[in-house]
Each structure stands twice: as structure tokens, then as C-alpha cells.
Amino acid sequence: MPDDARKPADLLIAPRWLVPVEPAGQVLENHAVVVSAGRIVAVLPRAEAERQFAPAATLERPGHVLLPGLVNAHVHAAMTLLRGLADDLPLADWLGRHIWPAEHRWAGPEFVRDGTRLALLEMIRGGITCFNDMYYFPDVVADLAVEHQVRAVAGMIVIEQPTPWAATTAEYFSRGLAVHDQYRHHPLVSTAFAPHAPYSVSDPTLQHLRTLADELDVPVHMHVHETRREVEDSLRQHGERPLARLDRLGLLSAGFMAVHMTALEAADIDLVAERRVPVVHCPASNLKLASGLCPVAALAARGVSLALGTDGAASNNQLDLLGEARLAALLAKTVSGDASALPAAQALTMATLGGARALGLAEEIGSIVAGKWADLTCVDLSGPATEPVHDVVSQLVYTAPRDQVSDVWVAGRAVLADGEFTTIDAGEALERARAWPVRLGQA
Ligand SMILES: [Zn+2]
């Protein structure tokens, strides 16, 4: 084919290794990804890609692996400003006596703007291209995602207590739905209902929410079975386990993301498997708050779709999804008593395609497949911590620290280029974050 017959393209990325995640288990060498108009247009052997395409730019990454952008399926981004505020406490004390009072006093638009921007810096630096957020002022979160070119699912939060975001249940719905209307059909931002937890939202409100979610065809994202105490309280108050109650209210479906899912009995696992409920595992948060353990291997054995979340930086305290994948793989082995449980490739799938599936975005992101958005992460595997490379996927999950992420693209646009932020003024964002401990009275 003569040169002038080559198809134009924006970018050709040539990494040493390419892990597309779909098909599962595949590792490609000397392949290239061709990007145009924000989308992946081809995944080909490099020589073939160069025969077919005339890219405006070519990026060589000779010691690197290219993977789909990481999907953080559960986070409270603005809570980065509360990182380290009240550590080493049980969940009820931590939430009721420290986090909620601080939020009720401070969690206004400025707090959410400064905290979310800090979270975006941390998430981009760690290779996260999409995050599913549950917090107040989702309008601010969505605006920032667009401004800084990060894919977001803005949570229409519902919690039955007054906060700076909404005074009444009706106001939670009306303000959330305004965000949904504003971002409907947006290429970067979508929305999900985010009822906080079974213990903080009543039956009538959950029924109303389910009806709206069905009408608007948006997913629902909720903390469920975070602790054994939550299950015991529900048995006392409602005479049923939280999952059984949510099922009675018609919420459990493939469009319902159940976050945490500890203290599960066989009947709970049957229920989520039958209803095809995706489970979002947040291992570091569960460990730090002594919440309990999610039986990931048992869920996987039943065909339950699994995703990973960091949770908020007040209960983790890092927004490091590569770290969560490692922790999930290690923890699954101990919880199941089987060292072959949750192998590296499965943990990486949870961190990418699993998250995309849970969010209803698997047609658009989550794997390196022609036609999907070019949401991509490149990790440098050269250097003392990650050499030699026997198995690329093992190296990524068990070894690679997030600071070896070199480049990140969202919809084809670089947001991290050779370690440098391109869409956020990092100096200014960090300066603003540094002012908050004084305001929160914690200096
Ligand atoms: Zn959470």
C-alpha cells in the first residue's frame, strides 16, 4: 500500500507489552494502539499498524506495558481533604463522631472543589481514568471531571439527614436529577443514583428511587453489608438482612452496584448471583475499619461480576487502584484458604473491565478494543522494583507501584504525559489542599 493510501490517525502508541484485558489473559508484544478522535481505531502488530495508518504522532514506550485505564468503582473523591483526620477508629465512631460532624460543618462547594481536584491529581497519577463518586455537590464533581478531562459517574446521593447539599429527601432528589439532566448524553460524565446505605435510607425513599432509576435507566450505587453490625441492626429493625430487604424493595439487579459486601451468608451469595448484582470490593477500607471480609473467590465462583473501589481517602487512605488490585488478590487467598484464588489477571480485570461492567459502561471503556474510548494507562516496568519481567500481568498486580505509571489518556487526550499533569495545575491544587487542615481545626 503506498504511503498516501494510509489512513490518517491522531496517535500511535507503541509499548513493549499490551494487555487488552479482552480477550482475557492475552499479552501482546510489539503491537501498537492507533487512536483517532478519542477512540481506539485499531490494535495491530506494530509493522501492520504503520502500514495501514499515518499517525500525526507516535509515542515509543519500549520498557512499558499499556493497559486499559483503571476504573475506580467506588470513591468519595472530596474526602481526600479528610485524609488522616480520624484514623484507628471503628466505623460507627469514625463516621458518627468525626466524619459526619466535619462534613456537616464544612462540606460545601469549595470543600468539594478542592478535595475533588486533589483526588483527581492522585487518581490520574495512579492510572485511574474513570471514577464512580458518591458525595455531596455532584454538580461540582461533574464540572471538575469535564474541566480536567477525567471520566466520571457523578452520584446522585440520597441520605436521610440534612447536609450542606440538601435539607430534605425531596431536595436530594431534585438537586441530583438536575445534575442528571445537565449531563445526559455527555461523552465524559454520566450519573448514578447513590443512596448512602440501607441504614440511612428508608423503604419509601428506596422505592421511589428504584422507580426513578428504572425510568431514567441509570445505575444505583450503594454501600451494602459494610459490617456485621449493619446486618444485626437490620435484623432487629426490619426483621430481615439488608440484602433481603433491598430485594423485597425491588432494587437488586444488574444495574445495582453493591459496595463492600462483608458478612455474607450462603443465601446472600445466592441472591446476588441470581439477581446478577455486581459487587464492588474495597479491600483496604474494609481492613482499616475492621468492617469484615468480602468472600471474593466465592462470589467469583458463582459468576458474580466483580469490580474494585478505593472508597474515600478518610478510610483507606490512598486512592490507589493498582494497590487495591494487589490487596484484593492477596486477601482473597487468605479468606478462601486457596493460594490460587483471584489470580493476577482476574484482579486486573476487576480493576478495569469489571468496573466498566458495574457502571454499565462496558461497551465504551474497560478494555483495549477497537471502537471503545481511548482510556489508557501506561506503566513503566523498567527499573529495580519491576525487573526482570517473567509475567507482565503478575508484575503489574503484585509488584508495580503506582508511581511507575508514566502516561494516562482519557478519550484519547493525555492527562498525564511522561509523569507530568497536562490538565490540572498541580501546584495550585496542592496549595489549596494544604489550607484545609487549619480550617478544619486540625493543624
Ligand atoms: Zn464508601
Side-chain angles (χ1 to χ4, degrees):
M1 194 185 289
D3 270 5
D4 57 8
R6 292 187 301 165
K7 286 173 258 182
D10 295 337
L11 175 65
L12 183 147
I13 308 166
R16 165 80 189 273
W17 300 280
L18 200 158
V19 178
V21 173
E22 266 181 317
Q26 193 174 62
V27 177
L28 302 169
E29 282 200 65
N30 302 314
H31 276 57
V33 173
V34 184
V35 175
S36 236
R39 300 264 182 185
I40 298 161
V41 294
V43 182
L44 291 167
R46 179 168 181 180
E48 184 59 29
E50 288 176 335
R51 255 193 303 279
Q52 292 188 23
F53 293 92
T58 294
L59 193 70
E60 306 282 349
R61 286 291 179 257
H64 303 57
V65 53
L66 189 70
L67 56 143
L70 304 176
V71 178
N72 187 357
H74 177 67
V75 64
H76 316 279
M79 291 181 84
T80 49
L81 294 181
L82 304 176
R83 191 190 332 253
L85 177 75
D87 287 338
D88 308 317
L89 294 168
L91 182 116
D93 269 6
W94 172 78
L95 200 55
R97 298 180 57 187
H98 296 273
I99 298 301
W100 279 348
E103 287 179 331
H104 290 176
R105 170 77 180 84
W106 287 106
E110 193 186 356
F111 177 95
V112 173
R113 190 173 300 113
D114 291 353
T116 302
R117 200 173 263 135
L118 177 63
L120 292 178
L121 278 179
E122 186 181 359
M123 290 196 284
I124 290 171
R125 194 65 198 78
I128 293 168
T129 55
C130 176
F131 68 106
N132 180 33
D133 198 56
M134 178 193 283
Y135 209 66
Y136 315 112
F137 298 90
D139 53 342
V140 173
V141 174
D143 287 351
L144 285 172
V146 174
E147 181 183 347
H148 300 304
Q149 181 78 9
V150 177
R151 193 174 302 284
V153 179
M156 296 181 275
I157 190 168
V158 177
I159 182 168
E160 286 178 287
Q161 51 180 277
T163 62
W165 169 241
T168 63
T169 303
E171 197 181 2
Y172 276 102
F173 280 105
S174 63
R175 295 201 76 178
L177 289 168
V179 179
H180 173 79
D181 287 345
Q182 188 183 344
Y183 287 94
R184 197 175 354 204
H185 311 308
H186 194 284
L188 276 183
V189 174
S190 57
T191 51
F193 274 112
H196 172 261
Y199 58 86
S200 57
V201 189
S202 67
D203 281 12
T205 299
L206 285 171
Q207 280 166 320
H208 179 54
L209 185 148
R210 189 211 65 195
T211 305
L212 285 172
D214 288 350
E215 278 172 15
L216 302 174
D217 194 24
V218 295
V220 179
H221 160 213
M222 189 179 202
H223 299 113
V224 185
H225 281 226
E226 185 164 0
T227 60
R228 183 168 298 283
R229 180 172 157 183
E230 173 189 331
V231 177
E232 290 164 357
D233 288 351
S234 176
L235 282 165
R236 253 193 312 277
Q237 194 184 340
H238 300 283
E240 56 195 341
R241 296 168 69 76
L243 269 175
R245 176 173 158 237
L246 295 172
D247 192 45
R248 172 172 57 76
L249 297 168
L251 278 153
L252 299 190
S253 73
F256 181 89
M257 286 169 265
V259 180
H260 294 311
M261 298 288 273
T262 74
L264 297 186
E265 293 183 345
D268 299 318
I269 295 176
D270 287 346
L271 196 52
V272 294
E274 277 166 29
R275 299 285 186 263
R276 298 171 47 242
V277 170
V279 169
V280 182
H281 181 35
C282 303
S285 174
N286 293 161
L287 288 169
K288 182 166 181 255
L289 293 169
S291 297
L293 300 165
C294 174
V296 170
L299 290 166
R302 294 294 304 278
V304 174
S305 186
L306 297 165
L308 277 176
T310 58
D311 213 350
S315 66
N316 185 318
N317 298 356
Q318 302 176 321
L319 309 183
D320 176 5
L321 208 70
L322 217 41
E324 296 295 323
R326 176 169 186 260
L327 196 52
L330 297 178
L331 197 54
K333 296 170 198 328
T334 288
V335 170
S336 65
D338 174 6
S340 69
L342 203 68
Q346 198 176 359
L348 185 63
T349 298
M350 286 172 71
T352 53
L353 188 58
R357 283 187 183 128
L359 296 170
L361 296 174
E363 298 295 312
E364 297 287 341
I365 57 166
S367 58
I368 303 181
V369 170
K372 290 195 180 187
W373 287 113
D375 289 12
L376 303 166
T377 289
C378 196
V379 183
D380 186 356
L381 293 183
S382 65
T386 45
E387 297 273 17
V389 179
H390 296 287
D391 180 310
V392 176
V393 176
S394 279
Q395 208 76 329
L396 260 174
V397 170
Y398 290 117
T399 315
R402 62 173 162 173
D403 60 6
Q404 287 186 212
V405 169
S406 60
D407 305 84
V408 179
W409 295 263
V410 177
R413 181 173 169 196
V415 292
L416 188 77
D418 204 10
E420 299 293 326
F421 295 103
T422 61
T423 60
I424 306 184
D425 181 338
E428 190 200 336
L430 293 172
E431 196 57 42
R432 292 188 70 86
R434 280 183 205 117
W436 277 96
V438 178
R439 295 165 82 174
L440 292 163
Q442 293 292 317

